[in-house]
Amino acid sequence: MESKYIAVKLKEAEEKIEYYTSFGWTLVGDMEELPGGKIGLSFERNRKELASFDKIRNAEKAYAEISRPFPLLGFIFLGIASILLALYFVLQKSFQFYIIFLFTSLVFYGLTIYMMIIFLIVSIKRKGLQKKIIKNVGIEAGTIRSLPLKNNIERETDDTWLIANNL
């Protein structure tokens, strides 16, 4: 059994409850009023009740990665490329194979540009990707209220459509 406690603004309470319930969390207890116009929410999730818990957890991580507001890997690659370029200029006179630093820095600059392009594409399509993740997890785990659980649907057999065939 996992439990989580979060403090959110009153306006965002319904949105957060919907978000966490779509990933299999259940709201436990009443909403606690906190100072500053915030509300405390307690959630629990039972791993044994969810049929595909690993898929739900992986989707929750993917949702968090998409929601990240800045391209961390792009900035890391930019820093590495800049350091390698500086080493190229510094070691030009004393190191025989100084050209390696130039080529490596150019590779990292190329990877930085690639990461920034990916970040821009994800930023533009962020809301759609988040909705798609929540929908897929809800269908897989049965956490969408309007859809039935996969485990509750009977499998089709030869006798399933017997009454319809006889009419």
Side-chain angles (χ1 to χ4, degrees), residues 66-160:
I66 290 172
S67 299
R68 190 174 60 216
F70 57 94
L72 182 62
L73 191 59
F75 288 135
I76 290 171
F77 283 172
L78 181 66
I80 291 171
S82 299
I83 290 170
L84 289 171
L85 189 63
L87 284 173
Y88 165 74
F89 288 117
V90 169
L91 297 176
Q92 210 165 10
K93 302 286 185 206
S94 61
F95 186 61
Q96 187 176 3
F97 300 107
Y98 66 92
I99 197 75
I100 293 171
F101 294 112
L102 177 65
F103 291 131
T104 311
S105 71
L106 291 175
V107 167
F108 274 100
Y109 278 126
L111 288 173
T112 301
I113 292 170
Y114 178 70
M115 291 296 155
M116 293 298 178
I117 290 171
I118 289 174
F119 174 73
L120 288 174
I121 291 171
V122 169
S123 295
I124 292 168
K125 297 186 174 207
R126 178 175 289 153
K127 293 293 182 189
L129 290 171
Q130 289 172 336
K131 286 179 183 177
K132 188 176 278 190
I133 287 173
I134 288 177
K135 180 184 173 195
N136 290 343
V137 165
I139 290 170
E140 183 69 33
T143 56
I144 295 178
R145 295 180 190 128
S146 61
L147 295 175
L149 289 170
K150 281 186 172 182
N151 299 336
N152 295 339
I153 299 173
E154 292 184 22
R155 298 204 184 280
E156 186 173 346
T157 63
D158 294 335
D159 297 333
T160 303

Side-chain angles (χ1 to χ4, degrees), residues 11-115:
K11 297 181 217 175
E12 301 171 356
E14 281 299 317
E15 182 181 320
K16 288 294 181 182
I17 291 171
E18 187 176 326
Y19 166 75
Y20 281 107
T21 55
S22 64
F23 287 108
W25 293 95
T26 305
L27 184 64
V28 179
D30 293 331
M31 299 180 198
E32 299 176 31
E33 292 211 19
L34 301 173
K38 291 191 175 185
I39 294 178
L41 303 171
S42 297
F43 293 97
E44 285 186 352
R45 176 167 66 181
N46 192 352
R47 296 177 184 192
K48 294 175 185 173
E49 289 179 6
L50 299 170
S52 54
F53 180 73
D54 292 332
K55 289 182 182 179
I56 293 171
R57 191 172 2 151
N58 291 339
E60 197 170 6
K61 288 178 184 176
Y63 188 95
E65 286 178 8
I66 290 172
S67 299
R68 190 174 60 216
F70 57 94
L72 182 62
L73 191 59
F75 288 135
I76 290 171
F77 283 172
L78 181 66
I80 291 171
S82 299
I83 290 170
L84 289 171
L85 189 63
L87 284 173
Y88 165 74
F89 288 117
V90 169
L91 297 176
Q92 210 165 10
K93 302 286 185 206
S94 61
F95 186 61
Q96 187 176 3
F97 300 107
Y98 66 92
I99 197 75
I100 293 171
F101 294 112
L102 177 65
F103 291 131
T104 311
S105 71
L106 291 175
V107 167
F108 274 100
Y109 278 126
L111 288 173
T112 301
I113 292 170
Y114 178 70
M115 291 296 155

